[in-house]
């Protein structure tokens, strides 16, 4: 998780908030909140927030938009049962880290092996099917960690997302997993959440467990900062 803490967030504002959050949560002198204090903070933070969901998109023209960051206006709800919902999350974004044919020039495609080209075309089908699904609500659990000054800090654990996609001439049971225990901040009716996609699963293995697409996760301990930036989703909003 240290690599995640050091990774620069997508936006300058998010960077400032994230640095504050990591600094405070890593400090040894933070006081633990009592149950009553947690309940009071929860009552203040609960509600509906309108804001923007941000993500990195390697397909954005870097000459025009150097940060290659895209965004969408969304609504989230922070509930008293310690759950958060991001409404109408575009399903296609879960697959934006997959290489597709449009990422390659004609010359590069011509140099690929038959298996590599087939994989790219399969990814094209996955993205197309995800686009047809449209949107779904992304739900997560959260637990309050501590508070300092006017800021409430909490851990976020997104629930796996499941869907059926059609590609390769068949239906596939797809599951999206996330890194658990990422972090959020609430202050003065404003909320910031950062989550990381961790893996895409395609069906079950012989033991009945979710099987990784292409046999590997999107995130592992050897992931570089460049690879990780494509797995981040950030929400900034206010009541």
């Amino acid at each position: 998780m240290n690599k995640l803490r050091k990774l620069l967030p997508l936006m300058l504002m998010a960077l400032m908030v994230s640095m504050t959050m990591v600094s405070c949560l890593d400090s040894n002198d933070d006081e633990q909140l009592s149950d009553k204090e947690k309940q009071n903070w929860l009552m203040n933070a609960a509600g509906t927030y309108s804001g923007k969901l941000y993500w990195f998109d390697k397909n954005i023209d870097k000459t025009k938009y150097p940060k290659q960051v895209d965004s969408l206006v969304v609504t989230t709800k922070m509930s008293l049962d310690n759950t958060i919902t991001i409404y109408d999350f575009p399903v296609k974004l879960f697959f934006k880290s997959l290489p597709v044919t449009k990422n390659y020039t004609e010359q590069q495609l011509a140099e690929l092996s038959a298996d590599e080209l087939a994989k790219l075309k399969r990814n094209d089908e996955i993205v197309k099917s995800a686009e047809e699904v449209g949107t779904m609500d992304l739900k997560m659990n959260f637990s309050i960690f501590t508070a300092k000054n006017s800021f409430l800090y909490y851990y976020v654990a997104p629930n796996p997302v499941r869907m059926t996609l059609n590609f390769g001439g068949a239906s596939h049971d797809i599951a999206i997993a996330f890194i658990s225990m990422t972090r959020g901040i609430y202050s003065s009716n404003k909320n910031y959440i950062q989550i990381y996609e961790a893996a895409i699963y395609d069906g079950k293995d012989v033991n009945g467990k979710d099987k990784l697409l292409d046999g590997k996760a999107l995130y592992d301990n050897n992931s570089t900062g460049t690879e990780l930036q494509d797995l981040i989703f950030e929400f900034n909003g206010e009541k």
Side-chain angles (χ1 to χ4, degrees), residues 28 38 100 145 193 198 218 224:
N28 292 325
K38 287 183 179 181
V100 292
F145 178 74
I193 305 167
L218 300 177
T224 65

Side-chain angles (χ1 to χ4, degrees), residues 96-113:
K96 66 186 182 68
S97 63
L98 296 180
V100 292
T101 54
K102 68 178 180 181
N103 297 143
Y104 293 75
T105 65
E106 290 186 8
Q107 179 62 35
Q108 289 172 327
L109 290 173
E111 295 173 353
L112 295 177
S113 68

Side-chain angles (χ1 to χ4, degrees), residues 99-100 114-124 126 214 216:
V100 292
D115 287 343
E116 290 171 329
L117 188 58
K119 181 178 175 180
L120 288 181
K121 291 182 177 179
R122 180 214 61 185
N123 290 347
D124 289 345
I126 290 175
D214 296 328
K216 62 179 182 179

Side-chain angles (χ1 to χ4, degrees), residues 76 84 86 140 154 156 182-185 191-195 233-236:
T76 71
I84 296 174
I86 300 179
M140 59 196 81
Y154 56 90
V156 178
T182 51
R183 294 165 174 172
I185 305 173
N191 216 2
Y192 167 83
I193 305 167
Q194 188 180 75
I195 61 176
F233 296 103
E234 295 181 343
F235 172 77
N236 260 301

